Amino acid sequence: MGRPSHVKPQRTGTSRREFFKRSAGGAAMVVAATPLVPMGGLLAASADRSGASANAVFQHGVASGDPLQDRVILWTRVTPRLDATEPAPAGREADEREDDDVRRDGKVMVHFVVALDPRFKRLVTRGKFKTGPERDHTVKIDVTGLRPDTTYYYQFRAQGVISAIGRTKTLPKGNGKGEAQHLRMAVVSCSNFAYGYFNAYRQIAERADLDMVVHLGDYIYEYGDGQYGDVRPCEPAHEIVTLADYRMRHAQYKRDADSQAMHRQHPLIAIWDDHETANNAWLDGAENHQGDTEGAWPERVKAALQAYYEWMPVRVVDPANLRRNSRSFAFGNLVDLIMLEERLAGRAQQLDGSIPTPLGLAFTQTGAFADPARQLLGATDEAWLFDKLRTSTAKWKVLGQGVMFAQLKVRGAPNALGGGIFFNSDQWDGYQPARNRIYDVIKGVNGAKPVNNVVVLTGDIHSAWAADLTQDPNNPEPSLGGYNPLTGEGSLAVEFVGTSVSSPGVDDPTGAVANSLKPANPHFKHIDLDKRGYMLIDANDQRCVCEFWQVDTAAAISNVQTLGAVFEVRDGLNRLQVSSITSPKANPAKLAP
């Protein structure tokens, strides 16, 4: 999803020097390392107003991710200095001075320290990690032995230079009263560097009370310069296909000042969608992959995933099969966050529609669309999801995933009359039998218990939606498996779809297009097609709230945000209702300086 309808001819590529002059994200590349001031166990680096590290060694910032109760991934990337073989500063131990050198094979030793305070007076652990060209000089450390529900601060040192200070947090336990009473997290997707600035990331970075940030995919885009956005140029200038290409594109995104600010303040839990490889990816190919000119699809996937795991603060689920990325995170007994891989592990190829509409070729749930053998998750991950839903003891079962789960129709009709005409075969609408199997688990068929309090979080579509989830939204009789749009009766779960960080939506300033969709889709309670921003999820024992936050633009740097809408689902009701803004957590830990 999110492809340009017409691919523009590529512009003449800019030189590296011209690129860094034009790109705010590349500013750190041309700033010399600043003087260092002693601080705690390491040294404090100066930072610009974005909080991004302003030195040439740690020009891609710091990040953390995949937090658990006792551990978290810490990440950075070292750019070896040209003068790395110069003597290290006096006063260091001999082994530390040696660590500051770059070996002839390109290996670099990186030191890290973790503390309970941003001045590193209360040290928790420290260590070192050797990186090199075989992993693109990235650093990923799974720091263990941490306390649950605790904020930590961390920092790296390499070649006599230290990084910006990062801040992260572990997940709470679920046993005993008083544990995991309140989850507050930001949810983002679709951050296209070429289409604009990551102002939403900036707003998230400034929220001190968040437990985490969830990224639902399209963290990078694969297109070449000017092919899908021309606000900022791409690096490399061509569409990325090789390992070197994917690494360079990840590096460009990690130099972005707003991205660095978000990453260094909050742990990230991410799942990929399609653009981390190529648009509308599936098991054996992608819409934006041409084998005759771009090589074999498995080789492109291998390159994309190697770069992804190098550059993202996430754990490898299965070293023998990097395409498997579904995993879960228990926020005490309050929330089970279940992240679903929906592109590379088992998805059948998308089918083409055949019914002309103003929105493109649409389809009905007939023929191959009704084939139960077609998978979106794949059989292995589907069985894993079913088990997670059935065995979860958490209050809220939250699915983090890429493509819209709710039915989206061009023309509505009850299922008994064919169900109507559907819009997008890349979404779950294109895999309705597979979606029905998930509904069966939620309903508790064949004597199984129903699964209450399922909340689906979705990205991909560059617009904001809130939906009651029902298999038959155009049938007004809940007693017959239908849905009452006035009361929400018949809804089995809810879905919050977040807009993009920067990728374009539909130009709909008056809401006319959104309003035109509502008669065929009465289960949608909120549709906003043209704003950029993020979702804020606030969950406690009584309700789960989604606030839709909007930035005023992605075309320029801006610090303006507004609240677009607020909806909630109450415990046990499985349907949406209008809500109000939530209160921040009291006394959050200090942001990293």
Side-chain angles (χ1 to χ4, degrees), residues 46 147 458 470 472 476 498:
S46 67
R147 300 193 313 217
T458 302
T470 167
D472 200 0

Side-chain angles (χ1 to χ4, degrees), residues 189-211:
S189 66
C190 304
S191 41
N192 185 340
F193 189 93
Y195 242 103
Y197 294 88
F198 299 159
N199 295 322
Y201 284 171
R202 165 73 51 188
Q203 299 298 332
I204 291 168
E206 295 175 356
R207 289 183 176 269
D209 68 328
L210 299 181
D211 295 292

